Amino acid sequence: MNHLLNKVLCLQNTRTLLGSTSFLQNYVLTTQMPLVVLLTNREYRSMPTHGVGKYRHLLSKSLPKKKKDKIQMKQIKAATDTKFGILNVCVSGYDMTLVEHYSQYIHNLCNHLEIKVDESYALPTKSTEVMVMQDQGTKMYVDGVLKTHERVVQISEMKATLCPVFIEVLLKNQPEGVLFCVKQHTEADFQARFKARPELDGLIAKISN
């Protein structure tokens, strides 16, 4: 008798549980509950992360930055019977775009003709003031400032038989308003790459004395 009563009570409990769950499902579906409320009920919020998301221990330790050494002048190669030494192809003009594009053209031409290009660099821009005198008077005033841009393509070991062809191609493709010249590289050309700082040089001289 007790066994039957227990079975009946279990069946009644399961029916009530099923009824309550169906009621809750219908209530959730019928009522417009915000999605944020449903998503915030996370069971893992109180669980420890154990360093999840940390990545700094995986990165390699960065070495301290070294100071850049000063540019040292390379040894000037001497010319031979069949090859030139180090030559500088200097391009200058007032329009920086034309000067830059022409120097790039010279660099690509050297690569096409298999002429060794040691380096390509820009020289400091030079500014020239144009002074004009007034019609009635002796005072001068600045009418304009002209900026001269210069690029250098340094080549070496060019064959003597290839030099006339190289210069002829450059002359035929020279843009208007751009000057270029080919000269042998010297120590003065290397020093011209750097801006003169007389004040700093004077202080260094005082300290050394």
Side-chain angles (χ1 to χ4, degrees):
M1 188 71 181
N2 292 330
H3 185 65
L4 290 172
L5 284 171
N6 289 331
K7 282 187 176 181
V8 171
L9 289 172
C10 287
L11 288 171
Q12 286 180 355
N13 290 332
T14 52
R15 285 178 182 176
T16 53
L17 285 171
L18 290 171
S20 60
T21 51
S22 62
F23 173 75
L24 286 171
Q25 288 178 356
N26 293 330
Y27 178 74
V28 170
L29 292 173
T30 52
T31 57
Q32 294 181 354
M33 291 181 69
L35 186 61
V36 180
V37 176
L38 294 174
L39 291 176
T40 51
N41 297 328
R42 297 174 182 172
E43 297 179 357
Y44 59 85
R45 274 186 172 275
S46 60
M47 294 182 184
T49 58
H50 298 292
V52 174
K54 294 182 180 179
Y55 61 91
R56 293 192 179 277
H57 64 283
L58 300 173
L59 300 176
S60 59
K61 293 182 180 179
S62 58
L63 298 173
K65 293 183 179 179
K66 294 182 180 179
K67 291 184 178 180
K68 291 183 179 180
D69 298 331
K70 291 184 179 179
I71 301 173
Q72 300 294 331
M73 182 179 175
K74 297 178 182 179
Q75 186 178 3
I76 299 174
K77 297 177 183 178
T80 61
D81 296 337
T82 58
K83 292 182 180 180
F84 289 95
I86 299 177
L87 300 176
N88 288 345
V89 183
C90 304
V91 181
S92 61
Y94 300 117
D95 192 345
M96 186 175 64
T97 305
L98 288 176
V99 172
E100 188 68 29
H101 286 180
Y102 191 49
S103 64
Q104 289 177 4
Y105 170 77
I106 294 172
H107 199 148
N108 293 331
L109 180 64
C110 291
N111 293 336
H112 182 70
L113 296 175
E114 296 180 355
I115 300 172
K116 185 180 179 183
V117 179
D118 291 340
E119 55 182 341
S120 179
Y121 56 89
L123 292 177
T125 303
K126 298 176 183 177
S127 299
T128 307
E129 293 183 351
V130 180
M131 307 290 289
V132 178
M133 186 181 291
Q134 297 178 358
D135 295 336
Q136 296 178 355
T138 57
K139 290 184 178 181
M140 304 278 287
Y141 65 93
V142 179
D143 188 56
V145 179
L146 297 175
K147 292 185 177 181
T148 305
H149 308 279
E150 192 169 356
R151 302 288 184 272
V152 177
V153 181
Q154 192 175 100
I155 59 177
S156 63
E157 300 178 2
M158 184 172 63
K159 295 179 182 179
T161 54
L162 189 61
C163 184
V165 179
F166 177 68
I167 292 176
E168 185 178 357
V169 173
L170 292 182
L171 286 171
K172 285 188 176 181
N173 294 280
Q174 182 181 5
E176 187 176 356
V178 176
L179 301 175
F180 93 95
C181 67
V182 181
K183 61 181 181 179
Q184 192 172 3
H185 179 66
T186 58
E187 188 177 354
D189 296 328
F190 176 77
Q191 297 296 335
R193 296 178 61 176
F194 311 104
K195 286 187 176 181
R197 295 183 290 181
E199 295 179 358
L200 182 62
D201 295 339
L203 291 173
I204 292 171
K206 287 180 180 179
I207 292 168
S208 60
N209 294 331

